[in-house]
Amino acid sequence: MEDVEDLTPERRRDKIKALAKRYATVPLSVRTSDLPKRAASALVMVVIAGIALVLGGVIRDLFFVVIGLVCFAEMVRLILRGTRNALGRVVGIALGAIYIGYAVWLLAQIDSVPVLLLLIGVVIMVDTFAYFFGRSIGGPKIAPRISPSKTWAGLFGGAVGATIAVGIPLVQGWSPFAGPHDWRSLIVLAPVLAVVAQSGDFFESWLKRKAAMKDSSNLIPGHGGVFDRIDGLIPVVIVVGSLVVLPIL
């Protein structure tokens, strides 16, 4: 075991910080201190997205394309910073273009505003409930080497949020996947969408860890970049959008 007195000042400071983080209990008020800024930014994003959806047509599709392009640019930045291998960069950028491009194409094919609102609502509810459950309960991490802040409590909270988001339309007698009041879609779909959304979050976290970056950019106050905000939406759109748009599924 290392003797603290034999360490360099920088190494000693890092070791003390690590021990402090391990044993100190951070108050909930501190852990959620960025909530007002996050909420304000989220409100602005919801308003902009809502206007685009209400206007519809070319404006809506252009909004999807712009968001997709910004997200893709942020992903390319992560890939370029995350690897120096030329082939790895080319393959990663190509796969990223397919990943984001397919999601944007699916969004443009969905003419139903309720379905689009459900997609956005599910991801917002998953993120929100995962944030509160994870920050307030804490507990064991899911994959600390990839995303140190993600806990099993947060995943459970995300499932709760997805259940509420999918359950509200069902209470009203509507679902894009089944008949009125078909609660089987709630029982099966909600947890699946929560896991899918969290998987997208983990994927971006892995890219950021490879690139040694905290956020994909600093474009959105309190949230980082566009990719940081829609990392969970992309796979949800791919799963749900494919079920809705493609007749073979």
Side-chain angles (χ1 to χ4, degrees):
M1 185 175 178
E2 292 179 300
D3 190 341
V4 176
E5 295 181 356
D6 295 334
L7 299 176
T8 64
E10 294 78 10
R11 178 65 176 152
R12 189 182 305 134
R13 183 177 63 250
D14 293 341
K15 194 173 185 66
I16 292 174
K17 284 183 178 180
L19 290 172
K21 288 182 179 179
R22 182 176 179 181
Y23 294 108
T25 301
V26 181
L28 178 61
S29 59
V30 174
R31 283 179 277 161
T32 58
S33 60
D34 61 340
L35 184 58
K37 181 167 42 174
R38 289 173 60 90
S41 297
L43 178 60
V44 172
M45 289 186 288
V46 168
V47 169
I48 294 174
I51 292 174
L53 292 180
V54 169
L55 293 177
V58 177
I59 299 296
R60 187 201 69 171
D61 292 346
L62 182 61
F63 171 74
F64 292 152
V65 170
V66 170
I67 293 297
L69 288 174
V70 174
C71 179
F72 178 62
E74 293 177 348
M75 177 184 280
V76 169
R77 183 187 181 201
L78 293 176
I79 293 172
L80 294 179
R81 289 179 60 112
T83 179
R84 295 179 179 272
N85 183 280
L87 179 60
R89 286 178 169 182
V90 171
V91 172
I93 291 172
L95 292 177
I98 295 172
Y99 179 61
I100 296 174
Y102 180 54
V104 171
W105 179 80
L106 286 172
L107 285 172
Q109 303 308 306
I110 299 174
D111 293 327
S112 172
V113 173
V115 173
L116 292 173
L117 291 176
L118 177 63
L119 290 172
I120 297 172
V122 165
V123 177
I124 290 176
M125 292 293 281
V126 169
D127 285 349
T128 302
F129 276 72
Y131 176 82
F132 277 109
F133 274 62
R135 292 297 180 94
S136 58
I137 299 175
K141 313 291 185 181
I142 299 176
R145 292 187 177 182
I146 298 176
S147 183
S149 63
K150 299 294 185 298
T151 64
W152 289 104
L155 179 60
F156 174 74
V160 172
T163 301
I164 294 174
V166 177
I168 291 175
L170 281 174
V171 171
Q172 303 300 319
W174 174 84
S175 170
F177 315 103
H181 303 295
D182 190 342
W183 294 98
R184 289 173 298 180
S185 62
L186 175 64
I187 296 173
V188 175
L189 183 65
V192 169
L193 291 184
V195 173
V196 168
Q198 291 282 293
S199 298
D201 198 339
F202 273 110
F203 171 62
E204 196 220 1
S205 295
W206 175 75
L207 286 177
K208 290 191 293 186
R209 182 161 289 271
K210 294 284 288 184
M213 294 176 62
K214 181 178 182 295
D215 298 312
S216 60
S217 75
N218 58 358
L219 187 63
I220 307 172
H223 292 273
V226 170
F227 194 16
D228 295 313
R229 288 315 309 150
I230 67 172
D231 54 359
L233 178 61
I234 297 172
V236 169
V237 167
I238 290 175
V239 172
V240 177
S242 296
L243 292 173
V244 173
V245 172
L246 302 182
I248 60 174
L249 297 179

